[in-house]
Amino acid sequence: MKVLVVAGARPNFPKIAPIMREFSRVESIGCKLVHTGQHYDARMSRVFFEDLELPEPDFFLGVGSASHAEQTARVMIEFEKVVLAERPDVVLVVGDVNSTLAAALVAVKLGVRVAHVEAGLRSFDSGMPEEINRKLTDHVSDWLFTTCEDGETNLRNEGIAGSRVCPVGNVMIDTLRWCESLARGRKSPGKLGLDAKGYALVTLHRPTNVDDPRMFERILGALIQIAGHLPVVFPIHPRSRCRLAEFGLQSRLDAEPGLRLCEPLNYLDFLGLLADARLVLTDSGGIQEETTVLGVPCLTLRENTERPITITTGTNVLVGLEPTAIVENSLAAIRGEWKTGTIPPLWDGHAAGRIVDRLLRDFGLP
Ligand code: UD1
């Protein structure tokens, strides 16, 4: 079985790592890695390859940043050449970024079967570019590897045949478990002069939150209030960094002693910080899942989530974007008034093994 695994943006790398590792153990599988280059800064890409012991990509498409149409189109043009040259049996894509959809479209039009890892998630908000990517990728995929039951329900409701849906669990959690002790050993809080459980950790990068100056400023105002109670660590995504400069907000943040702005962190240092945070404020998808597994209070600064299981069984609360709600919920978390949650079924560190087993079975391979 020849497989092309595609990754392009930061959240893809922890998802492909356990899958690549499982593929490399099976002799009957020939696996090559394609990096689209959607993310290209060393801190958004290279450091993840090092931390997660990912092999060098076999193909680097170098698409870079552009509008949605241009970025998606560039991946398609370049990836089509790779598929034509390699003639794989399966193209495996993960998550919901533009590279995911672009690669899936190329494969299906060339008659190559597509495996989508992390299928079925829905925010029901088509204003989110990722929601379009999720839906379209799922509908052209042959294997829909789901992380949880609501994903399976969503796919069923969209009329997708049950035979294509494969509940396997969460590959992000495979990676978390694989390097958790290494990450904790980094003692990331101490390096920043912080005590375990003595800080809040923030990530923000969604266009809805950071591309609108009023919205971004309101959220930052809430963070400044929280920083009056507990140090706030904020590793800044390149998109958000650009907006801070563009909106002239940087100097206001620099003047806040409780707020620690830093560059995006590598995976191990970030996981180390996440594990020991008192609370996490985020608009990321993956972090909602990681905090649930680590039992850390998570405040999601969005109006919706494609990962409702982290709310119903985990430590996540959708707090929305009203500064008063953000601050009040943060103070409750600081006081320790938060649910403890449980870990969803199959988030056990073995999802990638189930994916590979299923593919081997369907190809009749040992
Ligand atoms: C993308 C994904 C999003 C994911 C996020 C994680 C889509 C539609 N969005 O959003 O789902 O949660 O990655 O990071 O695919 N930039 C750099 N260096 C880089 C990458 C980006 O400076 O290595 C800057 C550029 O100014 C770029 C902007 O960040 O225009 C946004 O990058 P882009 O890949 O378009 O989207 P993200 O916001 O990163």
Side-chain angles (χ1 to χ4, degrees):
M1 187 198 329
K2 272 178 83 172
V3 186
L4 284 180
V5 173
V6 182
R10 182 169 65 175
N12 293 161
F13 306 129
K15 291 173 194 163
I16 60 160
I19 301 172
M20 296 292 296
R21 214 172 300 123
E22 287 294 325
F23 277 153
S24 72
R25 292 202 185 111
V26 182
E27 259 183 36
S28 51
I29 296 179
C31 170
K32 288 190 179 171
L33 177 58
V34 182
H35 187 325
T36 67
Q38 177 173 341
H39 283 172
Y40 42 87
D41 283 1
R43 288 195 168 97
M44 301 296 284
S45 174
R46 167 113 312 272
V47 293
F48 284 77
F49 277 71
E50 288 161 9
D51 280 358
L52 303 174
E53 296 176 17
L54 275 163
E56 283 298 313
D58 298 279
F59 303 92
F60 184 73
L61 308 184
V63 301
S65 300
S67 70
H68 284 269
E70 202 173 332
Q71 189 174 60
T72 309
R74 280 189 205 157
V75 175
M76 290 184 72
I77 291 167
E78 295 308 316
F79 186 59
E80 185 178 52
K81 295 174 194 162
V82 177
V83 177
L84 286 172
E86 291 293 314
R87 289 276 161 210
D89 299 296
V90 179
V91 165
L92 184 143
V93 297
V94 296
D96 57 13
V97 302
N98 286 344
S99 299
T100 310
L101 173 63
L105 279 176
V106 166
V108 72
K109 293 206 169 192
L110 290 173
V112 177
R113 292 200 271 171
V114 179
H116 184 206
V117 175
E118 207 184 79
L121 299 183
R122 296 289 182 268
S123 64
F124 302 100
D125 172 3
S126 47
M128 245 183 127
E130 294 82 0
E131 182 74 352
I132 318 272
N133 294 340
R134 291 180 198 117
K135 275 194 189 165
L136 298 181
T137 304
D138 282 345
H139 281 261
V140 298
S141 292
D142 299 86
W143 290 272
L144 295 121
F145 293 110
T146 52
T147 54
C148 57
E149 222 179 294
D150 52 79
E152 290 135 39
T153 308
N154 293 335
L155 295 172
R156 198 165 48 240
N157 290 344
E158 289 175 20
I160 289 179
S163 54
R164 287 157 64 197
V165 179
C166 326
V168 290
N170 194 330
V171 286
M172 279 280 280
I173 305 310
D174 291 14
T175 290
L176 186 154
R177 292 300 189 209
W178 180 76
C179 60
E180 190 178 351
S181 60
L182 213 59
R184 288 181 186 274
R186 290 272 183 111
K187 311 231 176 293
S188 324
K191 280 192 217 155
L192 294 173
L194 299 164
D195 296 327
K197 304 294 168 196
Y199 58 91
L201 180 63
V202 176
T203 80
L204 286 174
H205 74 281
R206 295 268 163 226
T208 43
N209 288 353
V210 304
D211 284 2
D212 171 359
R214 276 205 56 234
M215 177 66 82
F216 200 7
E217 196 173 4
R218 276 159 63 84
I219 297 174
L220 294 175
L223 298 183
I224 288 170
Q225 282 191 56
I226 298 162
H229 298 264
L230 196 73
V232 172
V233 185
F234 184 5
I236 303 194
H237 184 284
R239 171 192 280 278
S240 313
R241 175 71 80 186
C242 286
R243 298 297 173 261
L244 276 185
E246 198 181 317
F247 305 152
L249 295 167
Q250 181 77 50
S251 53
R252 194 168 152 209
L253 298 186
D254 291 342
E256 270 321 307
L259 209 51
R260 317 266 184 100
L261 269 61
C262 60
E263 292 301 312
L265 295 171
N266 61 60
Y267 186 77
L268 292 175
D269 282 338
F270 186 78
L271 184 57
L273 273 185
L274 201 61
D276 272 336
R278 177 82 146 256
L279 69 155
V280 173
L281 297 103
T282 189
D283 61 7
S284 145
I287 293 171
Q288 296 172 51
E289 300 180 336
E290 290 165 336
T291 44
T292 273
V293 169
L294 293 165
V296 173
C298 179
L299 286 72
T300 295
L301 307 191
R302 287 171 48 185
E303 303 293 359
N304 53 56
T305 177
E306 61 290 334
R307 290 163 163 91
I309 195 164
T310 60
I311 296 174
T312 51
T313 74
T315 56
N316 188 19
V317 170
L318 207 54
V319 299
L321 297 161
E322 272 306 316
T324 44
I326 297 172
V327 174
E328 276 169 21
N329 277 282
S330 298
L331 294 180
I334 291 170
R335 289 193 300 270
E337 293 162 12
W338 208 261
K339 55 186 176 179
T340 43
T342 54
I343 298 176
L346 297 181
W347 292 21
D348 58 0
H350 302 292
R354 291 184 201 105
I355 290 171
V356 175
D357 285 350
R358 170 68 189 245
L359 290 173
L360 286 173
R361 197 168 74 229
D362 287 356
F363 278 81
L365 293 169

